Each structure stands twice: as structure tokens, then as C-alpha cells.
Amino acid sequence: MPRFYFDVRTPSGVVCSDYQGLDCPDAAAALEEAHHGARFVTPGECARNPLFSGYKFAVTDEAHRLLFTVPFTELQLADDEPEPPAAPGRSPARRKRTRPGAPARARSARAG
């Protein structure tokens, strides 16, 4: 069975080289593995980490020739995978808006 390698690349280059690879019957099966995170990352992890939006799998054959790339933004849930959990309720932008308001309330409470 042929072996395929799933290197992780960012816009600035390779972040993680896959030295073990996965055995797949053919390139179509390797593409399917890449769409499901190649067993390295889940769609839920990608949804929780905005840094992953620029990442992609660079899939190579046994001779390490590039066959195709799959952006992490295209990862799909496997049929038996649970839905990813919802992102945390508060964004960093919200926290920035609410934190300055807290000291102002404390000052007005002391003044009155």
C-alpha cells in the first residue's frame, strides 16, 4: 500500500514535517484523510484556534513529491465524529470593552 505524507504548512513555510506518513490505498484516499485532519487535528480544534485558518496540509507521495494541498479551513467532520464545541462565549474584543468600565463604576460608587 502506498504511503502518503501530510506536512503542515503556514503562509511562511513548513511548520511540521510528517516523517511517518499514513498508508492509503491511493491518492483519493489520501485526499480524504487530509480533509479529515489526517488524524492530527480536528475541525473543532481549527474552529477554536484562529491561527489555523492559514494552515494547510501539503500531501506528498512516497518520493515526497507534492500531490495537493488542503487548507485547514476545508477540514470536514468524519461521519462518527461529534460536532465541535461552540467557541468560547466572550471574544477578546468584548473583554477589552468591559474591563475599562469596571474601574469607572468603582470610582462613581466611591464618589456617591
Side-chain angles (χ1 to χ4, degrees):
M1 188 173 298
R3 185 165 288 263
F4 295 87
Y5 297 87
F6 301 82
D7 295 335
V8 176
R9 292 189 181 178
T10 67
S12 61
V14 175
V15 171
C16 179
S17 294
D18 178 12
Y19 295 107
Q20 293 183 339
L22 294 173
D23 291 333
C24 300
D26 54 28
L31 178 60
E32 186 69 20
E33 282 288 344
H35 274 117
H36 291 290
R39 303 179 195 160
F40 303 121
V41 66
T42 67
E45 290 170 322
C46 291
R48 288 187 300 271
N49 189 340
L51 268 179
F52 285 157
S53 66
Y55 285 35
K56 61 186 170 186
F57 283 113
V59 182
T60 63
D61 62 13
E62 291 174 324
H64 296 282
R65 290 182 297 244
L66 180 64
L67 300 174
F68 46 83
T69 61
V70 175
F72 279 23
T73 55
E74 294 180 14
L75 296 184
Q76 304 164 356
L77 289 173
D79 292 336
D80 59 347
E81 255 183 288
E83 285 290 323
R90 301 187 90 177
S91 69
R94 273 193 198 162
R95 276 186 244 124
K96 285 182 183 175
R97 283 195 299 267
T98 57
R99 290 187 84 188
R105 282 187 292 246
R107 275 184 292 215
S108 64
R110 278 184 257 150

